[in-house]
mmCIF file of all heavy atoms in Angstrom:
data_model
loop_
_atom_site.group_PDB
_atom_site.id
_atom_site.type_symbol
_atom_site.label_atom_id
_atom_site.label_comp_id
_atom_site.label_asym_id
_atom_site.label_seq_id
_atom_site.Cartn_x
_atom_site.Cartn_y
_atom_site.Cartn_z
ATOM 1 N N PRO A 76 7.374 -14.511 18.765
ATOM 2 C CA PRO A 76 6.401 -13.437 18.843
ATOM 3 C C PRO A 76 5.115 -13.791 19.493
ATOM 4 O O PRO A 76 4.143 -14.194 18.946
ATOM 5 C CB PRO A 76 6.212 -13.072 17.361
ATOM 6 C CG PRO A 76 6.415 -14.362 16.637
ATOM 7 C CD PRO A 76 7.386 -15.083 17.355
ATOM 8 N N THR A 77 5.157 -13.737 20.856
ATOM 9 C CA THR A 77 4.059 -14.001 21.619
ATOM 10 C C THR A 77 3.622 -12.826 22.364
ATOM 11 O O THR A 77 4.397 -11.840 22.654
ATOM 12 C CB THR A 77 4.255 -15.171 22.676
ATOM 13 O OG1 THR A 77 5.300 -14.637 23.680
ATOM 14 C CG2 THR A 77 4.845 -16.453 21.989
ATOM 15 N N LYS A 78 2.351 -12.856 22.863
ATOM 16 C CA LYS A 78 1.793 -11.615 23.581
ATOM 17 C C LYS A 78 2.623 -11.485 24.855
ATOM 18 O O LYS A 78 3.024 -10.328 25.268
ATOM 19 C CB LYS A 78 0.283 -11.953 24.002
ATOM 20 C CG LYS A 78 -0.366 -10.898 24.682
ATOM 21 C CD LYS A 78 -1.849 -11.242 24.936
ATOM 22 C CE LYS A 78 -2.521 -10.094 25.711
ATOM 23 N NZ LYS A 78 -4.027 -10.463 25.819
ATOM 24 N N GLU A 79 3.019 -12.605 25.473
ATOM 25 C CA GLU A 79 3.794 -12.466 26.715
ATOM 26 C C GLU A 79 5.085 -11.887 26.506
ATOM 27 O O GLU A 79 5.654 -10.961 27.315
ATOM 28 C CB GLU A 79 3.900 -13.912 27.383
ATOM 29 C CG GLU A 79 2.566 -14.509 27.931
ATOM 30 C CD GLU A 79 1.726 -15.027 26.784
ATOM 31 O OE1 GLU A 79 2.269 -15.351 25.652
ATOM 32 O OE2 GLU A 79 0.478 -15.130 26.995
ATOM 33 N N ASN A 80 5.775 -12.254 25.439
ATOM 34 C CA ASN A 80 7.114 -11.749 25.092
ATOM 35 C C ASN A 80 7.003 -10.176 24.681
ATOM 36 O O ASN A 80 7.946 -9.483 25.023
ATOM 37 C CB ASN A 80 7.759 -12.540 23.979
ATOM 38 C CG ASN A 80 8.331 -13.846 24.451
ATOM 39 O OD1 ASN A 80 8.559 -13.986 25.672
ATOM 40 N ND2 ASN A 80 8.556 -14.727 23.649
ATOM 41 N N ILE A 81 6.048 -9.838 24.081
ATOM 42 C CA ILE A 81 5.805 -8.475 23.647
ATOM 43 C C ILE A 81 5.623 -7.677 25.029
ATOM 44 O O ILE A 81 6.249 -6.586 25.249
ATOM 45 C CB ILE A 81 4.544 -8.202 22.787
ATOM 46 C CG1 ILE A 81 4.993 -8.895 21.290
ATOM 47 C CG2 ILE A 81 4.353 -6.742 22.615
ATOM 48 C CD1 ILE A 81 3.822 -8.985 20.412
ATOM 49 N N GLN A 82 4.697 -8.120 25.824
ATOM 50 C CA GLN A 82 4.461 -7.337 27.039
ATOM 51 C C GLN A 82 5.668 -7.295 27.986
ATOM 52 O O GLN A 82 5.861 -6.279 28.733
ATOM 53 C CB GLN A 82 3.287 -8.110 27.777
ATOM 54 C CG GLN A 82 1.981 -7.799 27.069
ATOM 55 C CD GLN A 82 0.788 -8.511 27.737
ATOM 56 O OE1 GLN A 82 0.977 -9.659 28.146
ATOM 57 N NE2 GLN A 82 -0.343 -7.955 27.787
ATOM 58 N N ALA A 83 6.509 -8.394 27.941
ATOM 59 C CA ALA A 83 7.702 -8.323 28.764
ATOM 60 C C ALA A 83 8.969 -7.562 28.114
ATOM 61 O O ALA A 83 9.915 -7.424 28.746
ATOM 62 C CB ALA A 83 8.151 -9.673 29.075
ATOM 63 N N GLY A 84 8.581 -6.979 26.939
ATOM 64 C CA GLY A 84 9.707 -6.223 26.206
ATOM 65 C C GLY A 84 10.733 -7.130 25.642
ATOM 66 O O GLY A 84 11.812 -6.582 25.240
ATOM 67 N N LYS A 85 10.480 -8.479 25.530
ATOM 68 C CA LYS A 85 11.475 -9.348 24.903
ATOM 69 C C LYS A 85 11.518 -9.403 23.407
ATOM 70 O O LYS A 85 12.443 -9.843 22.757
ATOM 71 C CB LYS A 85 11.313 -10.781 25.491
ATOM 72 C CG LYS A 85 11.518 -10.825 26.982
ATOM 73 C CD LYS A 85 11.249 -12.193 27.501
ATOM 74 C CE LYS A 85 11.454 -12.283 29.006
ATOM 75 N NZ LYS A 85 11.167 -13.616 29.442
ATOM 76 N N TRP A 86 10.320 -9.070 22.799
ATOM 77 C CA TRP A 86 10.244 -9.137 21.353
ATOM 78 C C TRP A 86 10.825 -7.888 20.740
ATOM 79 O O TRP A 86 10.382 -6.772 21.064
ATOM 80 C CB TRP A 86 8.828 -9.301 20.861
ATOM 81 C CG TRP A 86 8.655 -9.503 19.303
ATOM 82 C CD1 TRP A 86 7.982 -8.538 18.563
ATOM 83 C CD2 TRP A 86 9.105 -10.544 18.601
ATOM 84 N NE1 TRP A 86 8.180 -8.993 17.271
ATOM 85 C CE2 TRP A 86 8.770 -10.255 17.205
ATOM 86 C CE3 TRP A 86 9.911 -11.688 18.855
ATOM 87 C CZ2 TRP A 86 9.073 -11.083 16.236
ATOM 88 C CZ3 TRP A 86 10.243 -12.540 17.797
ATOM 89 C CH2 TRP A 86 9.801 -12.181 16.469
ATOM 90 N N PRO A 87 11.805 -8.095 19.855
ATOM 91 C CA PRO A 87 12.739 -6.968 19.400
ATOM 92 C C PRO A 87 12.095 -6.060 18.237
ATOM 93 O O PRO A 87 12.668 -5.027 17.896
ATOM 94 C CB PRO A 87 13.980 -7.559 18.991
ATOM 95 C CG PRO A 87 13.579 -8.900 18.494
ATOM 96 C CD PRO A 87 12.409 -9.372 19.409
ATOM 97 N N ILE A 88 10.977 -6.515 17.626
ATOM 98 C CA ILE A 88 10.437 -5.890 16.445
ATOM 99 C C ILE A 88 9.116 -5.184 16.785
ATOM 100 O O ILE A 88 8.264 -5.814 17.500
ATOM 101 C CB ILE A 88 10.298 -6.783 15.271
ATOM 102 C CG1 ILE A 88 11.657 -7.606 15.006
ATOM 103 C CG2 ILE A 88 9.795 -6.006 14.064
ATOM 104 C CD1 ILE A 88 11.456 -8.666 13.998
ATOM 105 N N GLY A 89 9.032 -3.901 16.276
ATOM 106 C CA GLY A 89 7.676 -3.213 16.471
ATOM 107 C C GLY A 89 7.790 -2.119 17.364
ATOM 108 O O GLY A 89 8.861 -1.678 17.873
ATOM 109 N N GLY A 90 6.635 -1.509 17.605
ATOM 110 C CA GLY A 90 6.588 -0.313 18.359
ATOM 111 C C GLY A 90 5.279 -0.043 18.826
ATOM 112 O O GLY A 90 4.261 -0.594 18.331
ATOM 113 N N PRO A 91 5.002 0.972 19.664
ATOM 114 C CA PRO A 91 3.680 1.256 20.146
ATOM 115 C C PRO A 91 2.808 1.937 18.980
ATOM 116 O O PRO A 91 3.329 2.520 18.057
ATOM 117 C CB PRO A 91 3.904 2.335 21.178
ATOM 118 C CG PRO A 91 5.249 2.973 20.759
ATOM 119 C CD PRO A 91 5.956 1.817 20.130
ATOM 120 N N GLY A 92 1.442 1.744 19.161
ATOM 121 C CA GLY A 92 0.665 2.553 18.301
ATOM 122 C C GLY A 92 0.449 4.005 18.907
ATOM 123 O O GLY A 92 0.513 4.168 20.067
#
Side-chain angles (χ1 to χ4, degrees):
T77 65
K78 184 177 180 177
E79 295 75 23
N80 284 338
I81 293 168
Q82 289 173 320
K85 294 178 182 177
W86 183 247
I88 305 170

